[in-house]
Amino acid sequence: MNVRLCKLKIVCLLCFSFGFSNSLISKQIQFTLVPDREDIIQYELELWKSDQMDSEIPFRVLSNPGPINLFIPDGYEYFRIRAVAKRKVRGYWTELYEVNSFGKKPKARETAVAKVPVKTDVLVPIQTKDGNSELFLTSKQITIVPTTITKQFKVRYRVNGGIWQTTQSPHMDFPKDGNYRLEYKVTNELGVSDGMQIWEFKVDQTPPESKLSFQNPPFSTKQTNFVSPNNRLVIQSKDLGSGIGSIRYRYVCDGGSLSEYLIWNEESNKELYSICPGNFRLEVSAIDRLGNEEIPKTIDFKRTSKVP
């Protein structure tokens, strides 16, 4: 028959006294052993010098239920207890208690958590004009995924110095453009947490905006603008977030299919009026450095050979 150990009620945590001999210093621990069964008549206590129990013989002590003053001789750092019932039926040993920490509330250890809360492509650095880098969020959401804390965790956080909030969801939404400062700490169900993490980043969900015009004002009627092959097309694209990545164009000739996108550059104007033998449609679209693409702007070109 197995006997379950009683509760240990701590009267005082740890005190020091002299005992056993004048040259031997011992520690004295005071606590109370309260039986939770009527047939428990005694307790056995073992004192150990280390937690490697297969390499030594313990020092054993017997005690009756009730208050106990346990003297720990110098050199002994651990002890354990088991209950003894009538007919010498013995229960299971408890775990090893460390003498110096017995009765003290364990301090939560700081456990490392992965500093990068998301995949490496969720926050990307983009170089600014002055040579520095700024982090940009590539989606509308950040997912915090701790690697050394169990699935049961909560996140205490605040955004841009606002009110501290607590959530059990690992997902945080950032749907609007702007600058953000995210401060957060992850804590598991035992109260173990990592240090405070701080991330400063920008959100840019807005595509660029392009304006198309001609170098020289075209001749206009009510429905049509007339330009010559020497009149250059001017494309002005602006982006207030991550900046312009590229300006692209594609075309479709009468009776043909839409071409692949090409990069617009200084040489594109020279080829513009010769890409198709007849009429054609031109589509222009700017894309920023995060991949936000504007809706293409279109111009229809119709050739005429009429002269004044």
Side-chain angles (χ1 to χ4, degrees), residues 46-90:
E46 283 187 349
L47 309 180
W48 296 82
K49 293 182 178 180
S50 71
D51 57 357
Q52 304 297 319
M53 294 183 290
D54 56 347
S55 62
E56 62 176 293
I57 298 176
F59 182 84
R60 292 190 174 180
V61 179
L62 295 177
S63 175
N64 295 325
I68 179 175
N69 293 328
L70 180 61
F71 289 89
I72 311 293
D74 186 35
Y76 287 85
E77 302 295 337
Y78 301 90
F79 72 95
R80 64 179 183 174
I81 309 170
R82 71 177 174 184
V84 181
K86 293 178 180 180
R87 299 181 183 179
K88 301 299 182 181
V89 177
R90 290 172 169 80

mmCIF file of all heavy atoms in Angstrom, residues 46-90:
data_model
loop_
_atom_site.group_PDB
_atom_site.id
_atom_site.type_symbol
_atom_site.label_atom_id
_atom_site.label_comp_id
_atom_site.label_asym_id
_atom_site.label_seq_id
_atom_site.Cartn_x
_atom_site.Cartn_y
_atom_site.Cartn_z
ATOM 1 N N GLU A 46 15.569 12.207 4.725
ATOM 2 C CA GLU A 46 16.909 11.907 4.260
ATOM 3 C C GLU A 46 17.623 13.203 3.891
ATOM 4 O O GLU A 46 17.051 14.050 3.191
ATOM 5 C CB GLU A 46 16.871 10.991 3.025
ATOM 6 C CG GLU A 46 16.577 9.543 3.348
ATOM 7 C CD GLU A 46 16.709 8.650 2.134
ATOM 8 O OE1 GLU A 46 16.815 9.181 1.016
ATOM 9 O OE2 GLU A 46 16.710 7.423 2.308
ATOM 10 N N LEU A 47 18.854 13.344 4.349
ATOM 11 C CA LEU A 47 19.692 14.497 4.026
ATOM 12 C C LEU A 47 20.762 14.053 3.040
ATOM 13 O O LEU A 47 21.406 13.025 3.222
ATOM 14 C CB LEU A 47 20.332 15.063 5.290
ATOM 15 C CG LEU A 47 19.382 15.365 6.457
ATOM 16 C CD1 LEU A 47 20.155 15.921 7.649
ATOM 17 C CD2 LEU A 47 18.307 16.329 6.034
ATOM 18 N N TRP A 48 20.942 14.873 1.992
ATOM 19 C CA TRP A 48 21.888 14.553 0.923
ATOM 20 C C TRP A 48 22.845 15.721 0.710
ATOM 21 O O TRP A 48 22.471 16.879 0.846
ATOM 22 C CB TRP A 48 21.150 14.264 -0.385
ATOM 23 C CG TRP A 48 20.266 13.060 -0.333
ATOM 24 C CD1 TRP A 48 18.997 12.993 0.174
ATOM 25 C CD2 TRP A 48 20.573 11.745 -0.760
ATOM 26 N NE1 TRP A 48 18.489 11.736 0.080
ATOM 27 C CE2 TRP A 48 19.434 10.922 -0.510
ATOM 28 C CE3 TRP A 48 21.688 11.157 -1.357
ATOM 29 C CZ2 TRP A 48 19.395 9.576 -0.808
ATOM 30 C CZ3 TRP A 48 21.640 9.805 -1.674
ATOM 31 C CH2 TRP A 48 20.515 9.021 -1.394
ATOM 32 N N LYS A 49 24.066 15.386 0.319
ATOM 33 C CA LYS A 49 25.059 16.421 0.038
ATOM 34 C C LYS A 49 24.933 16.969 -1.391
ATOM 35 O O LYS A 49 25.319 18.097 -1.655
ATOM 36 C CB LYS A 49 26.474 15.873 0.242
ATOM 37 C CG LYS A 49 26.785 15.543 1.694
ATOM 38 C CD LYS A 49 28.221 15.048 1.861
ATOM 39 C CE LYS A 49 28.529 14.758 3.321
ATOM 40 N NZ LYS A 49 29.916 14.277 3.511
ATOM 41 N N SER A 50 24.394 16.170 -2.314
ATOM 42 C CA SER A 50 24.211 16.603 -3.701
ATOM 43 C C SER A 50 22.948 15.949 -4.235
ATOM 44 O O SER A 50 22.327 15.119 -3.562
ATOM 45 C CB SER A 50 25.423 16.230 -4.569
ATOM 46 O OG SER A 50 25.456 14.832 -4.779
ATOM 47 N N ASP A 51 22.584 16.314 -5.435
ATOM 48 C CA ASP A 51 21.406 15.710 -6.044
ATOM 49 C C ASP A 51 21.744 14.455 -6.843
ATOM 50 O O ASP A 51 20.880 13.873 -7.502
ATOM 51 C CB ASP A 51 20.691 16.729 -6.941
ATOM 52 C CG ASP A 51 21.598 17.292 -8.018
ATOM 53 O OD1 ASP A 51 22.804 16.941 -8.042
ATOM 54 O OD2 ASP A 51 21.117 18.092 -8.847
ATOM 55 N N GLN A 52 23.009 14.023 -6.764
ATOM 56 C CA GLN A 52 23.434 12.774 -7.389
ATOM 57 C C GLN A 52 23.343 11.668 -6.346
ATOM 58 O O GLN A 52 24.325 11.292 -5.711
ATOM 59 C CB GLN A 52 24.861 12.906 -7.943
ATOM 60 C CG GLN A 52 25.053 14.048 -8.921
ATOM 61 C CD GLN A 52 24.208 13.869 -10.166
ATOM 62 O OE1 GLN A 52 24.097 12.758 -10.688
ATOM 63 N NE2 GLN A 52 23.622 14.950 -10.659
ATOM 64 N N MET A 53 22.135 11.121 -6.176
ATOM 65 C CA MET A 53 21.875 10.234 -5.047
ATOM 66 C C MET A 53 22.510 8.860 -5.192
ATOM 67 O O MET A 53 22.606 8.114 -4.219
ATOM 68 C CB MET A 53 20.364 10.105 -4.847
ATOM 69 C CG MET A 53 19.705 11.406 -4.423
ATOM 70 S SD MET A 53 17.936 11.229 -4.099
ATOM 71 C CE MET A 53 17.322 10.950 -5.751
ATOM 72 N N ASP A 54 22.945 8.505 -6.388
ATOM 73 C CA ASP A 54 23.554 7.184 -6.560
ATOM 74 C C ASP A 54 25.018 7.159 -6.159
ATOM 75 O O ASP A 54 25.663 6.115 -6.202
ATOM 76 C CB ASP A 54 23.407 6.733 -8.013
ATOM 77 C CG ASP A 54 24.003 7.724 -9.007
ATOM 78 O OD1 ASP A 54 24.298 8.866 -8.584
ATOM 79 O OD2 ASP A 54 24.145 7.377 -10.189
ATOM 80 N N SER A 55 25.555 8.311 -5.759
ATOM 81 C CA SER A 55 26.985 8.377 -5.446
ATOM 82 C C SER A 55 27.278 8.572 -3.963
ATOM 83 O O SER A 55 28.421 8.804 -3.593
ATOM 84 C CB SER A 55 27.635 9.513 -6.246
ATOM 85 O OG SER A 55 27.059 10.762 -5.891
ATOM 86 N N GLU A 56 26.254 8.489 -3.084
ATOM 87 C CA GLU A 56 26.486 8.698 -1.655
ATOM 88 C C GLU A 56 25.412 7.997 -0.842
ATOM 89 O O GLU A 56 24.402 7.530 -1.363
ATOM 90 C CB GLU A 56 26.499 10.194 -1.327
ATOM 91 C CG GLU A 56 25.184 10.902 -1.627
ATOM 92 C CD GLU A 56 25.196 12.357 -1.197
ATOM 93 O OE1 GLU A 56 25.262 12.599 0.033
ATOM 94 O OE2 GLU A 56 25.150 13.228 -2.077
ATOM 95 N N ILE A 57 25.665 7.919 0.456
ATOM 96 C CA ILE A 57 24.710 7.349 1.401
ATOM 97 C C ILE A 57 24.106 8.500 2.195
ATOM 98 O O ILE A 57 24.829 9.327 2.746
ATOM 99 C CB ILE A 57 25.390 6.350 2.357
ATOM 100 C CG1 ILE A 57 25.966 5.178 1.541
ATOM 101 C CG2 ILE A 57 24.395 5.833 3.399
ATOM 102 C CD1 ILE A 57 26.749 4.191 2.365
ATOM 103 N N PRO A 58 22.775 8.599 2.272
ATOM 104 C CA PRO A 58 22.167 9.752 2.949
ATOM 105 C C PRO A 58 22.245 9.653 4.468
ATOM 106 O O PRO A 58 22.473 8.582 5.036
ATOM 107 C CB PRO A 58 20.715 9.689 2.462
ATOM 108 C CG PRO A 58 20.471 8.230 2.253
ATOM 109 C CD PRO A 58 21.764 7.675 1.728
ATOM 110 N N PHE A 59 22.031 10.793 5.110
ATOM 111 C CA PHE A 59 21.895 10.871 6.565
ATOM 112 C C PHE A 59 20.398 10.874 6.877
ATOM 113 O O PHE A 59 19.671 11.739 6.400
ATOM 114 C CB PHE A 59 22.558 12.152 7.079
ATOM 115 C CG PHE A 59 22.522 12.301 8.569
ATOM 116 C CD1 PHE A 59 23.468 11.698 9.379
ATOM 117 C CD2 PHE A 59 21.518 13.046 9.179
ATOM 118 C CE1 PHE A 59 23.430 11.852 10.762
ATOM 119 C CE2 PHE A 59 21.471 13.194 10.556
ATOM 120 C CZ PHE A 59 22.421 12.601 11.346
ATOM 121 N N ARG A 60 19.936 9.882 7.656
ATOM 122 C CA ARG A 60 18.516 9.706 7.861
ATOM 123 C C ARG A 60 18.087 10.177 9.249
ATOM 124 O O ARG A 60 18.811 10.023 10.238
ATOM 125 C CB ARG A 60 18.111 8.249 7.658
ATOM 126 C CG ARG A 60 18.240 7.802 6.216
ATOM 127 C CD ARG A 60 17.610 6.454 5.974
ATOM 128 N NE ARG A 60 17.637 6.115 4.557
ATOM 129 C CZ ARG A 60 17.147 4.987 4.045
ATOM 130 N NH1 ARG A 60 16.580 4.086 4.844
ATOM 131 N NH2 ARG A 60 17.212 4.757 2.741
ATOM 132 N N VAL A 61 16.860 10.753 9.278
ATOM 133 C CA VAL A 61 16.275 11.277 10.509
ATOM 134 C C VAL A 61 14.823 10.824 10.569
ATOM 135 O O VAL A 61 14.131 10.787 9.537
ATOM 136 C CB VAL A 61 16.348 12.821 10.555
ATOM 137 C CG1 VAL A 61 15.712 13.350 11.845
ATOM 138 C CG2 VAL A 61 17.780 13.292 10.439
ATOM 139 N N LEU A 62 14.332 10.454 11.775
ATOM 140 C CA LEU A 62 12.933 10.113 11.986
ATOM 141 C C LEU A 62 12.255 11.230 12.769
ATOM 142 O O LEU A 62 12.863 11.849 13.649
ATOM 143 C CB LEU A 62 12.800 8.794 12.750
ATOM 144 C CG LEU A 62 13.303 7.534 12.022
ATOM 145 C CD1 LEU A 62 13.181 6.318 12.947
ATOM 146 C CD2 LEU A 62 12.535 7.297 10.741
ATOM 147 N N SER A 63 10.968 11.476 12.460
ATOM 148 C CA SER A 63 10.232 12.533 13.158
ATOM 149 C C SER A 63 8.780 12.129 13.290
ATOM 150 O O SER A 63 8.220 11.453 12.420
ATOM 151 C CB SER A 63 10.339 13.850 12.394
ATOM 152 O OG SER A 63 9.535 14.845 12.985
ATOM 153 N N ASN A 64 8.178 12.556 14.361
ATOM 154 C CA ASN A 64 6.752 12.365 14.558
ATOM 155 C C ASN A 64 5.982 13.494 13.882
ATOM 156 O O ASN A 64 6.526 14.573 13.628
ATOM 157 C CB ASN A 64 6.416 12.329 16.051
ATOM 158 C CG ASN A 64 7.035 11.116 16.740
ATOM 159 O OD1 ASN A 64 7.134 10.038 16.161
ATOM 160 N ND2 ASN A 64 7.464 11.304 17.985
ATOM 161 N N PRO A 65 4.694 13.293 13.586
ATOM 162 C CA PRO A 65 3.883 14.393 13.038
ATOM 163 C C PRO A 65 3.850 15.583 13.978
ATOM 164 O O PRO A 65 3.954 15.444 15.191
ATOM 165 C CB PRO A 65 2.498 13.756 12.898
ATOM 166 C CG PRO A 65 2.753 12.292 12.799
ATOM 167 C CD PRO A 65 3.947 12.025 13.680
ATOM 168 N N GLY A 66 3.704 16.751 13.394
ATOM 169 C CA GLY A 66 3.663 17.976 14.177
ATOM 170 C C GLY A 66 4.851 18.868 13.878
ATOM 171 O O GLY A 66 5.539 18.699 12.867
ATOM 172 N N PRO A 67 5.121 19.866 14.753
ATOM 173 C CA PRO A 67 6.244 20.783 14.524
ATOM 174 C C PRO A 67 7.573 20.027 14.542
ATOM 175 O O PRO A 67 7.759 19.086 15.302
ATOM 176 C CB PRO A 67 6.145 21.758 15.695
ATOM 177 C CG PRO A 67 4.736 21.648 16.166
ATOM 178 C CD PRO A 67 4.332 20.233 15.941
ATOM 179 N N ILE A 68 8.473 20.466 13.696
ATOM 180 C CA ILE A 68 9.781 19.836 13.624
ATOM 181 C C ILE A 68 10.845 20.898 13.410
ATOM 182 O O ILE A 68 10.641 21.868 12.669
ATOM 183 C CB ILE A 68 9.831 18.781 12.496
ATOM 184 C CG1 ILE A 68 11.224 18.138 12.419
ATOM 185 C CG2 ILE A 68 9.476 19.400 11.150
ATOM 186 C CD1 ILE A 68 11.321 17.002 11.419
ATOM 187 N N ASN A 69 11.979 20.740 14.093
ATOM 188 C CA ASN A 69 13.181 21.544 13.851
ATOM 189 C C ASN A 69 14.187 20.628 13.160
ATOM 190 O O ASN A 69 14.733 19.715 13.788
ATOM 191 C CB ASN A 69 13.776 22.080 15.153
ATOM 192 C CG ASN A 69 12.872 23.101 15.811
ATOM 193 O OD1 ASN A 69 12.171 23.832 15.135
ATOM 194 N ND2 ASN A 69 12.874 23.139 17.141
ATOM 195 N N LEU A 70 14.384 20.817 11.887
ATOM 196 C CA LEU A 70 15.296 19.964 11.123
ATOM 197 C C LEU A 70 16.657 20.629 11.055
ATOM 198 O O LEU A 70 16.828 21.694 10.470
ATOM 199 C CB LEU A 70 14.741 19.729 9.714
ATOM 200 C CG LEU A 70 15.603 18.849 8.802
ATOM 201 C CD1 LEU A 70 15.758 17.456 9.396
ATOM 202 C CD2 LEU A 70 15.002 18.783 7.403
ATOM 203 N N PHE A 71 17.668 19.977 11.677
ATOM 204 C CA PHE A 71 19.027 20.499 11.651
ATOM 205 C C PHE A 71 19.755 19.897 10.451
ATOM 206 O O PHE A 71 19.799 18.666 10.299
ATOM 207 C CB PHE A 71 19.756 20.160 12.951
ATOM 208 C CG PHE A 71 19.251 20.949 14.131
ATOM 209 C CD1 PHE A 71 18.192 20.465 14.896
ATOM 210 C CD2 PHE A 71 19.817 22.172 14.463
ATOM 211 C CE1 PHE A 71 17.718 21.189 15.970
ATOM 212 C CE2 PHE A 71 19.325 22.901 15.540
ATOM 213 C CZ PHE A 71 18.281 22.415 16.302
ATOM 214 N N ILE A 72 20.301 20.746 9.633
ATOM 215 C CA ILE A 72 21.018 20.319 8.433
ATOM 216 C C ILE A 72 22.512 20.485 8.685
ATOM 217 O O ILE A 72 23.025 21.610 8.776
ATOM 218 C CB ILE A 72 20.615 21.150 7.200
ATOM 219 C CG1 ILE A 72 19.092 21.225 7.074
ATOM 220 C CG2 ILE A 72 21.246 20.583 5.938
ATOM 221 C CD1 ILE A 72 18.430 19.920 6.758
ATOM 222 N N PRO A 73 23.271 19.388 8.849
ATOM 223 C CA PRO A 73 24.722 19.516 9.091
ATOM 224 C C PRO A 73 25.419 20.193 7.918
ATOM 225 O O PRO A 73 24.938 20.176 6.787
ATOM 226 C CB PRO A 73 25.176 18.063 9.249
ATOM 227 C CG PRO A 73 23.946 17.292 9.585
ATOM 228 C CD PRO A 73 22.823 17.992 8.874
ATOM 229 N N ASP A 74 26.551 20.764 8.216
ATOM 230 C CA ASP A 74 27.348 21.434 7.190
ATOM 231 C C ASP A 74 27.711 20.459 6.082
ATOM 232 O O ASP A 74 28.146 19.330 6.347
ATOM 233 C CB ASP A 74 28.619 22.008 7.829
ATOM 234 C CG ASP A 74 29.405 22.848 6.834
ATOM 235 O OD1 ASP A 74 28.766 23.515 6.000
ATOM 236 O OD2 ASP A 74 30.653 22.823 6.885
ATOM 237 N N GLY A 75 27.526 20.875 4.865
ATOM 238 C CA GLY A 75 27.844 20.041 3.711
ATOM 239 C C GLY A 75 26.636 19.386 3.092
ATOM 240 O O GLY A 75 26.700 18.919 1.958
ATOM 241 N N TYR A 76 25.534 19.311 3.829
ATOM 242 C CA TYR A 76 24.310 18.728 3.278
ATOM 243 C C TYR A 76 23.452 19.846 2.686
ATOM 244 O O TYR A 76 23.105 20.814 3.352
ATOM 245 C CB TYR A 76 23.546 17.966 4.361
ATOM 246 C CG TYR A 76 24.198 16.660 4.749
ATOM 247 C CD1 TYR A 76 25.203 16.617 5.706
ATOM 248 C CD2 TYR A 76 23.832 15.477 4.124
ATOM 249 C CE1 TYR A 76 25.818 15.421 6.055
ATOM 250 C CE2 TYR A 76 24.434 14.266 4.463
ATOM 251 C CZ TYR A 76 25.432 14.247 5.419
ATOM 252 O OH TYR A 76 26.044 13.060 5.752
ATOM 253 N N GLU A 77 23.083 19.683 1.415
ATOM 254 C CA GLU A 77 22.403 20.750 0.684
ATOM 255 C C GLU A 77 20.972 20.395 0.275
ATOM 256 O O GLU A 77 20.218 21.255 -0.170
ATOM 257 C CB GLU A 77 23.202 21.113 -0.580
ATOM 258 C CG GLU A 77 24.637 21.549 -0.309
ATOM 259 C CD GLU A 77 24.710 22.853 0.476
ATOM 260 O OE1 GLU A 77 23.742 23.628 0.435
ATOM 261 O OE2 GLU A 77 25.743 23.071 1.135
ATOM 262 N N TYR A 78 20.568 19.123 0.430
ATOM 263 C CA TYR A 78 19.253 18.681 -0.017
ATOM 264 C C TYR A 78 18.612 17.766 1.027
ATOM 265 O O TYR A 78 19.315 17.135 1.837
ATOM 266 C CB TYR A 78 19.357 17.918 -1.347
ATOM 267 C CG TYR A 78 19.957 18.719 -2.475
ATOM 268 C CD1 TYR A 78 21.335 18.718 -2.696
ATOM 269 C CD2 TYR A 78 19.152 19.471 -3.321
ATOM 270 C CE1 TYR A 78 21.891 19.452 -3.732
ATOM 271 C CE2 TYR A 78 19.693 20.206 -4.361
ATOM 272 C CZ TYR A 78 21.062 20.192 -4.566
ATOM 273 O OH TYR A 78 21.619 20.920 -5.583
ATOM 274 N N PHE A 79 17.290 17.666 0.991
ATOM 275 C CA PHE A 79 16.601 16.689 1.829
ATOM 276 C C PHE A 79 15.288 16.303 1.161
ATOM 277 O O PHE A 79 14.763 17.007 0.295
ATOM 278 C CB PHE A 79 16.358 17.234 3.235
ATOM 279 C CG PHE A 79 15.314 18.302 3.334
ATOM 280 C CD1 PHE A 79 13.997 17.996 3.670
ATOM 281 C CD2 PHE A 79 15.637 19.635 3.092
ATOM 282 C CE1 PHE A 79 13.035 18.988 3.753
ATOM 283 C CE2 PHE A 79 14.670 20.631 3.178
ATOM 284 C CZ PHE A 79 13.372 20.305 3.509
ATOM 285 N N ARG A 80 14.746 15.127 1.590
ATOM 286 C CA ARG A 80 13.449 14.675 1.114
ATOM 287 C C ARG A 80 12.719 13.966 2.253
ATOM 288 O O ARG A 80 13.335 13.581 3.250
ATOM 289 C CB ARG A 80 13.592 13.763 -0.097
ATOM 290 C CG ARG A 80 14.317 12.446 0.165
ATOM 291 C CD ARG A 80 14.384 11.612 -1.105
ATOM 292 N NE ARG A 80 15.015 10.310 -0.876
ATOM 293 C CZ ARG A 80 15.092 9.346 -1.790
ATOM 294 N NH1 ARG A 80 14.588 9.543 -3.006
ATOM 295 N NH2 ARG A 80 15.675 8.189 -1.514
ATOM 296 N N ILE A 81 11.412 13.778 2.080
ATOM 297 C CA ILE A 81 10.565 13.269 3.155
ATOM 298 C C ILE A 81 9.623 12.208 2.599
ATOM 299 O O ILE A 81 9.175 12.313 1.448
ATOM 300 C CB ILE A 81 9.730 14.405 3.792
ATOM 301 C CG1 ILE A 81 10.627 15.583 4.181
ATOM 302 C CG2 ILE A 81 8.943 13.913 5.002
ATOM 303 C CD1 ILE A 81 9.849 16.818 4.583
ATOM 304 N N ARG A 82 9.296 11.211 3.448
ATOM 305 C CA ARG A 82 8.209 10.293 3.112
ATOM 306 C C ARG A 82 7.472 9.900 4.390
ATOM 307 O O ARG A 82 8.032 9.909 5.494
ATOM 308 C CB ARG A 82 8.713 9.060 2.388
ATOM 309 C CG ARG A 82 9.502 8.065 3.224
ATOM 310 C CD ARG A 82 9.871 6.850 2.373
ATOM 311 N NE ARG A 82 10.750 5.928 3.094
ATOM 312 C CZ ARG A 82 11.275 4.828 2.560
ATOM 313 N NH1 ARG A 82 10.999 4.518 1.298
ATOM 314 N NH2 ARG A 82 12.065 4.046 3.260
ATOM 315 N N ALA A 83 6.212 9.571 4.228
ATOM 316 C CA ALA A 83 5.367 9.207 5.367
ATOM 317 C C ALA A 83 5.463 7.713 5.655
ATOM 318 O O ALA A 83 5.675 6.899 4.753
ATOM 319 C CB ALA A 83 3.920 9.586 5.081
ATOM 320 N N VAL A 84 5.285 7.390 6.938
ATOM 321 C CA VAL A 84 5.279 5.994 7.384
ATOM 322 C C VAL A 84 3.966 5.755 8.111
ATOM 323 O O VAL A 84 3.630 6.461 9.066
ATOM 324 C CB VAL A 84 6.467 5.684 8.307
ATOM 325 C CG1 VAL A 84 6.435 4.211 8.731
ATOM 326 C CG2 VAL A 84 7.783 6.027 7.624
ATOM 327 N N ALA A 85 3.200 4.750 7.661
ATOM 328 C CA ALA A 85 1.920 4.429 8.283
ATOM 329 C C ALA A 85 2.076 3.234 9.213
ATOM 330 O O ALA A 85 3.175 2.693 9.414
ATOM 331 C CB ALA A 85 0.872 4.140 7.206
ATOM 332 N N LYS A 86 0.988 2.851 9.811
ATOM 333 C CA LYS A 86 0.996 1.688 10.694
ATOM 334 C C LYS A 86 1.453 0.458 9.926
ATOM 335 O O LYS A 86 1.300 0.362 8.707
ATOM 336 C CB LYS A 86 -0.401 1.463 11.263
ATOM 337 C CG LYS A 86 -0.862 2.579 12.206
ATOM 338 C CD LYS A 86 -2.279 2.319 12.694
ATOM 339 C CE LYS A 86 -2.730 3.448 13.630
ATOM 340 N NZ LYS A 86 -4.116 3.242 14.127
ATOM 341 N N ARG A 87 2.036 -0.505 10.643
ATOM 342 C CA ARG A 87 2.593 -1.731 10.065
ATOM 343 C C ARG A 87 3.770 -1.424 9.151
ATOM 344 O O ARG A 87 4.087 -2.199 8.247
ATOM 345 C CB ARG A 87 1.519 -2.522 9.323
ATOM 346 C CG ARG A 87 0.356 -2.983 10.207
ATOM 347 C CD ARG A 87 -0.647 -3.771 9.396
ATOM 348 N NE ARG A 87 -1.785 -4.156 10.232
ATOM 349 C CZ ARG A 87 -2.835 -4.835 9.792
ATOM 350 N NH1 ARG A 87 -2.903 -5.180 8.499
ATOM 351 N NH2 ARG A 87 -3.813 -5.153 10.602
ATOM 352 N N LYS A 88 4.414 -0.258 9.357
ATOM 353 C CA LYS A 88 5.627 0.133 8.617
ATOM 354 C C LYS A 88 5.405 0.264 7.102
ATOM 355 O O LYS A 88 6.321 0.052 6.294
ATOM 356 C CB LYS A 88 6.767 -0.862 8.874
ATOM 357 C CG LYS A 88 7.152 -0.993 10.340
ATOM 358 C CD LYS A 88 7.652 0.326 10.911
ATOM 359 C CE LYS A 88 8.080 0.154 12.362
ATOM 360 N NZ LYS A 88 8.547 1.429 12.964
ATOM 361 N N VAL A 89 4.177 0.601 6.739
ATOM 362 C CA VAL A 89 3.909 0.851 5.324
ATOM 363 C C VAL A 89 4.420 2.243 4.962
ATOM 364 O O VAL A 89 4.036 3.227 5.588
ATOM 365 C CB VAL A 89 2.410 0.729 5.024
ATOM 366 C CG1 VAL A 89 2.134 1.053 3.564
ATOM 367 C CG2 VAL A 89 1.916 -0.674 5.353
ATOM 368 N N ARG A 90 5.289 2.319 3.983
ATOM 369 C CA ARG A 90 5.951 3.575 3.623
ATOM 370 C C ARG A 90 5.383 4.133 2.306
ATOM 371 O O ARG A 90 5.085 3.388 1.379
ATOM 372 C CB ARG A 90 7.457 3.383 3.501
ATOM 373 C CG ARG A 90 8.135 3.145 4.856
ATOM 374 C CD ARG A 90 9.581 2.769 4.691
ATOM 375 N NE ARG A 90 10.270 2.800 5.959
ATOM 376 C CZ ARG A 90 10.213 1.814 6.878
ATOM 377 N NH1 ARG A 90 9.486 0.744 6.627
ATOM 378 N NH2 ARG A 90 10.863 1.930 8.007
#
